[in-house]
Amino acid sequence: MRSFIACLPKAELHLHIEGTFEPELMFAIAKRNNIGLPYDSVEALKAAYDFADLQDFLNLYYQGMKVLREEPDFADLTWAYLKRAHADNVRHTEIFFDPQGHTQRGVPFETALNGIWRALKKGERELGLTSKLIMCFLRDLPEADAERTLDTALAHKDRIAGIGLDSAEVGHPPSKFERVFARARDAGFLCVAHAGEEGPADYVREALDLLHVARIDHGNRALDDEDLVARLVRERVPLTVCPLSNLRLRVVAEAKAHPLKTMLDKGLVVTVNSDDPAYFGGYVNDNYLAMQEALSLTKEEIVTLARNSFEAAFLSREEKNAQLARLDTYAGAL
Ligand code: HPA
Ligand code: ZN
């Protein structure tokens, strides 16, 4: 199973680039930028990665990204992720970035965008790994801040495929961002939103009805609401599920209690993703393997997860078919 998952062609659709910041690279970039970290060593930093909940993680996530200041910092971060994803046979990736996490600290939007973009293009050229970039609004900031961020993004529409919504969920429902998402849709951005990670099933419904998202990021809590599950199945709304994230942020108590197989059995279009792999103890193949082992997933189920990852991607029908043909060839050797 380990080698079957390792060689399986797949897409990754829920990945925060700032969440791929490995401690070793963080220390190296901090040194080159003359920025101190509140930990004396890589080991001390790693030891702090024991989270009570989403907010507890976000505090370290925002602290970590503070050392990213120059374009090469963002390029190095992104390139490190792409090499790692390529090793996991990720053929296509749709990555989130959090511009407000940078502009708030005085780092220009374009510094982050240019650095990330440069690495993404290099990934396509040198690794054959295609990608899309999704800009997330921080939902714990006011909608007016998201509006200003969208204004800036409009000048870079050629490089930003979609808009997402992340950060502290509870108390910041999708309805708070209804107007800015309407404007983003009018401008032609594809939309996704984190919903139902810590927040209730109602937030998932709001993301569909008010933000008109094409995918739900996480969506675990949708299972609390049977009618909502039926709708997600009927409308084939993909859920980008992140198993190891769910365990580390205590959204799910233990691997055997993870709802991934239940979601598959209900006919939901679920995908497996790594979210913030540097913080949660594993990249995408580690997520597949943890679920395979805990839930005794079959090879057919693993292939379904990979098939869903391409179907749910922001690719053209032709691009999806080309990826699926490669997957079918691989699965045909079962
Ligand atoms: N949830 C919400 N916001 C985030 C996450 C997450 O898992 N990772 C980075 N920002
Ligand atoms: Zn996420």
Side-chain angles (χ1 to χ4, degrees):
M1 272 296 184
R2 183 179 291 274
S3 66
F4 182 73
I5 288 168
C7 299
L8 179 78
K10 57 187 74 71
E12 178 151 56
L13 306 178
H14 184 153
L15 183 282
H16 303 263
I17 197 63
E18 296 91 344
T20 69
F21 208 179
E22 291 288 349
E24 290 78 6
L25 184 62
M26 194 183 291
F27 271 86
I29 293 181
K31 188 164 176 220
R32 116 183 151 200
N33 287 343
N34 269 314
I35 295 172
L37 283 170
Y39 301 89
D40 343 322
S41 66
V42 163
E43 291 66 37
L45 178 54
K46 285 185 183 169
Y49 292 175
D50 177 19
F51 311 113
D53 55 21
L54 174 59
Q55 187 60 56
D56 197 26
F57 153 70
L58 289 170
N59 294 341
L60 277 191
Y61 171 80
Y62 292 120
Q63 174 189 282
M65 70 174 79
K66 282 186 190 166
V67 310
L68 299 165
R69 297 219 62 96
E70 310 294 337
E71 223 176 274
D73 304 342
F74 291 90
D76 290 352
L77 172 72
T78 306
W79 182 241
Y81 162 68
L82 291 170
K83 281 192 295 186
R84 188 62 189 74
H86 180 65
D88 277 5
N89 208 22
V90 171
R91 315 298 305 224
H92 175 75
T93 185
E94 301 193 349
I95 73 173
F96 297 128
F97 80 120
D98 284 331
Q100 290 158 294
H102 311 302
T103 54
Q104 268 187 331
R105 308 180 283 111
V107 173
F109 186 103
E110 289 75 14
T111 299
L113 177 63
N114 293 344
I116 294 168
W117 186 254
R118 194 191 325 155
L120 292 180
K121 292 299 107 179
K122 182 176 169 183
E124 292 187 6
R125 276 194 319 272
E126 297 186 11
L127 307 173
L129 205 178
T130 60
S131 53
K132 303 266 183 206
L133 192 51
I134 300 174
M135 166 182 109
C136 287
F137 298 132
L138 301 185
R139 68 201 304 158
D140 42 352
L141 297 180
E143 189 184 31
D145 285 41
E147 294 278 12
R148 280 198 294 278
T149 306
L150 178 59
D151 290 339
T152 308
L154 290 174
H156 306 293
K157 264 219 70 215
D158 53 329
R159 291 186 283 171
I160 299 171
I163 301 289
L165 186 64
D166 67 0
S167 199
E169 185 181 7
V170 175
H172 304 285
S175 56
K176 180 178 165 186
F177 295 91
E178 192 176 350
R179 290 135 300 254
V180 71
F181 268 72
R183 203 154 66 84
R185 282 197 317 281
D186 286 345
F189 290 107
L190 298 160
C191 293
V192 298
H194 282 55
E197 181 184 20
E198 285 188 344
D202 262 351
Y203 283 21
V204 175
R205 192 175 281 107
E206 277 191 14
L208 298 173
D209 290 337
L210 305 181
L211 307 186
H212 303 280
V213 297
R215 303 194 289 249
I216 296 288
D217 295 314
H218 295 297
N220 300 49
R221 296 283 303 278
L223 293 177
D224 298 343
D225 183 330
E226 259 179 52
D227 292 343
L228 178 60
V229 169
R231 175 180 174 188
L232 292 165
V233 170
R234 193 171 60 244
E235 297 178 7
R236 295 191 58 75
V237 179
L239 305 182
T240 62
V241 175
C242 305
L244 291 174
S245 166
N246 293 159
L247 297 175
R248 289 299 189 99
L249 300 186
R250 306 181 198 236
V251 167
V252 175
E254 53 169 339
K256 283 193 187 317
H258 197 282
L260 184 74
K261 183 162 163 52
T262 303
M263 290 167 157
L264 278 169
D265 291 346
K266 287 181 184 290
L268 288 160
V269 184
V270 281
T271 66
V272 167
N273 308 274
S274 70
D275 207 6
D276 301 282
Y279 292 91
F280 299 150
Y283 286 77
V284 70
N285 287 357
D286 302 313
N287 278 269
Y288 273 86
L289 193 61
M291 290 294 94
Q292 193 284 321
E293 287 175 350
L295 307 176
S296 307
L297 299 181
T298 63
K299 284 188 177 176
E300 286 76 10
E301 286 167 326
I302 297 288
V303 170
T304 297
L305 292 167
R307 181 168 292 118
N308 289 349
S309 75
F310 292 120
E311 284 291 354
F314 290 148
L315 294 171
S316 69
R317 190 67 252 169
E318 294 69 39
E319 290 168 324
K320 288 182 191 184
N321 288 347
Q323 295 285 3
L324 290 167
R326 198 178 286 117
L327 174 63
D328 285 340
T329 303
Y330 182 74
L334 269 181

